[in-house]
Amino acid sequence: MQFASEILSNAEISPAYWRVRLTAPREFIGARPGQFVMVRVAPGIDPLLRRPLAIFDVGPAAGDAPAWFEMLYKVVGKGTAMLSALRESDGVDILGPLGTGFDLGDDDREKLLVGGGVGLAPLHLLATALARRKSPVRLFAGGRTRGDLLCIDEFEALGVECHCATEDGSFGARGLVTTALVRHLDAFDGKAALYACGPDGMLRALARIAAGRALPCQVSLEGRMACGVGACLGCVTAGREHSAQTPDYRRLCVEGPVFESSELKWGD
Ligand SMILES: Cc1cc2nc3c(=O)[nH]c(=O)nc-3n(C[C@H](O)[C@H](O)[C@H](O)COP(=O)(O)OP(=O)(O)OC[C@H]3O[C@@H](n4cnc5c(N)ncnc54)[C@H](O)[C@@H]3O)c2cc1C
Ligand code: FES
């Protein structure tokens, strides 16, 4: 659906990271974890393209207050800078929810969520849905430094056990989040499933870990997008069978952004 939305709040929660809450139609709260929206940050043609952002949280209408949704975003360029300049009651045009979303999977597997920076954004709605089903959930959150670990207390409030890692050692274990994950997997003898969103290098490492241990692993990709609805082919990624002779491309906006990691071709 496409709708005119009003900003309810928009605040910097950590250096360069912002959290925005917007009004939404009632039906929007049925959005699935992992789905995203395309945001038009200004009414004119600059910037021309909408920007894709994950849905972090949703809430129902209550009394006179409308339904709402939230996004976490990092200011990296023009579109996100313009979004951060918007204030309460400013309007933005939203297209969504879009894309596939995560498959919540079997209840007997421990769900291991792995995220870095704004990659934590789609994992929060996922953790909420899993916690509601009383699925066992752990979060492995990583970043360069403490400021990249966003909203950890809100994951904990859902009953999620959080394992944090920073490359500079300023919070949690020093090192990569994948090291903390492997340590847990080595000590764990139950069935597990991985869910991840974050930088390409982290996702590639997770795809390798999952393949080596025959674990299901869903990854949410954050490549560039232009239309968000499958028309421009600007967002494609290579599928497992892709080669120069037999092209196998997947559109992030329609077939994704969530994929089983074994469906994709990962470079070295
Ligand atoms: C499905 C999906 C969900 C996303 N969810 C979130 C989210 O929840 N929070 C969030 O902060 N971001 C998210 N992103 C990334 C976000 O869309 C981009 O950061 C944003 O579009 C940048 O817009 P801009 O105008 O500020 O930057 P631009 O001016 O367009 O670019 C600024 C710089 O950032 C780089 N860049 C832009 N987009 C990306 C990208 N997708 N990947 C890597 N580098 C990029 C550019 O190459 C350039 O160097 C998501 C992307 C996708 C596809
Ligand atoms: S962004 Fe246009 S096809 Fe995906």
Side-chain angles (χ1 to χ4, degrees), residues 191-231:
K191 291 203 284 180
L194 306 180
Y195 296 82
C197 185
D200 286 349
M202 185 195 93
L203 297 184
R204 196 174 304 119
L206 284 173
R208 247 193 326 261
I209 291 166
R213 294 169 185 255
L215 294 173
C217 175
Q218 294 173 51
V219 294
S220 180
L221 303 186
E222 294 196 339
R224 312 293 312 262
M225 283 187 185
C227 72
V229 293

Side-chain angles (χ1 to χ4, degrees), residues 34 36 47 50-55 71-81 118 121-122 220-225 252 257:
F36 66 98
R50 292 169 181 269
R51 298 304 196 255
L53 293 173
I55 302 164
M71 302 179 293
L72 286 188
Y73 62 97
K74 183 171 187 182
V75 173
V76 295
K78 187 171 197 170
T80 45
V118 284
S220 180
L221 303 186
E222 294 196 339
R224 312 293 312 262
M225 283 187 185
L252 257 58

Side-chain angles (χ1 to χ4, degrees), residues 36 38 52 224-236 250-255:
F36 66 98
M38 294 292 284
R224 312 293 312 262
M225 283 187 185
C227 72
V229 293
C232 72
L233 306 186
C235 64
V236 295
R250 317 286 168 95
R251 290 167 300 177
L252 257 58
C253 62
V254 175
E255 285 86 43

